[in-house]
Amino acid sequence: MRGDYQQLVDEISAALGAPATLEDRDFGLIAFGAHEGDDDEVMDPVRTRSILQRRSSAAVRAWFEAFGIARAKTALRIPPDPAAGVFRGRICLPVRHRGIVHGYVWLLDDGHLTDLALGGRGAPPDPRIAQAMETAARIGALLADEARAGSELGDLLRELLISEPAGRPGAAAALRDALRDTLRFTPGVPLALVAVLPWDAADTDVAPLPSLPGLLAAC
């Protein structure tokens, strides 16, 4: 789905003429659009860290959430704040599906987006903002599907791990079908499952070696 997200983000960037970034609701980076020019202020520190680290910090998240982005249902302008590393204003497009926020599209604002989004100088909002919000809704549907698929895969994997021997073939077949349908997994390709378990740091000489069905190795 990552290619689908990138295509939709590029659509928004092209429609509004501004670099766009897509983050999930936990501020994890999903996709971003390229920007033109050599102006360092376009890549302000907050956007740079988000791209390089693939996630915004907790402080940045709290700063943006203070503007009510989690409650917003349409485009919302965030003013610049150089002290916070936000050299350029932002237009935030909430990414929702069936009323639930799944992420945010961020657009760097050089001033022209303010008029588009908010109907500056008494003008009505530009229809391109409505078009961008429609694209954001398509992104929201994809994110909702991905979250639902991940939850279902987790349930199927758990069922496989805890099944009695007689029930494992059926559980494996159900998981195989789900992987093929949701992740375009190719049947017949081997998979390896790595389970990371808590280890009591006070006992550094003895690692936990659980007895799991089908366990091949532990270290």
Side-chain angles (χ1 to χ4, degrees), residues 23 26-27 46 49 53 55-67 69 78 81 83-86 106:
E23 294 180 330
D26 295 321
F27 281 57
V46 166
R49 285 195 299 268
Q53 299 175 7
R55 178 173 296 278
S56 294
S57 68
V60 168
R61 175 178 177 175
W63 190 84
F64 280 116
E65 286 181 339
F67 289 92
I69 60 174
I78 310 295
D81 185 351
V86 181
W106 301 97

Side-chain angles (χ1 to χ4, degrees), residues 19-36:
T21 302
L22 170 63
E23 294 180 330
D24 62 26
R25 61 187 167 197
D26 295 321
F27 281 57
L29 182 68
I30 298 175
F32 63 92
H35 73 277
E36 298 179 356

Side-chain angles (χ1 to χ4, degrees), residues 1-72:
M1 291 185 178
R2 298 294 148 168
D4 297 333
Y5 293 132
Q6 187 64 58
Q7 179 179 347
L8 293 170
V9 167
D10 289 343
E11 283 184 17
I12 293 176
S13 292
L16 298 180
T21 302
L22 170 63
E23 294 180 330
D24 62 26
R25 61 187 167 197
D26 295 321
F27 281 57
L29 182 68
I30 298 175
F32 63 92
H35 73 277
E36 298 179 356
D38 298 323
D39 185 356
D40 290 339
E41 288 191 355
V42 172
M43 289 291 290
D44 66 19
V46 166
R47 187 171 193 262
T48 300
R49 285 195 299 268
S50 172
I51 292 173
L52 293 179
Q53 299 175 7
R54 314 299 295 178
R55 178 173 296 278
S56 294
S57 68
V60 168
R61 175 178 177 175
W63 190 84
F64 280 116
E65 286 181 339
F67 289 92
I69 60 174
R71 300 184 301 274

Side-chain angles (χ1 to χ4, degrees), residues 142-159:
L142 285 177
L143 286 172
D145 287 344
E146 188 174 349
R148 183 166 53 251
S151 176
E152 292 172 353
L153 286 173
D155 291 341
L156 290 170
L157 176 58
R158 181 177 183 277
E159 183 64 27

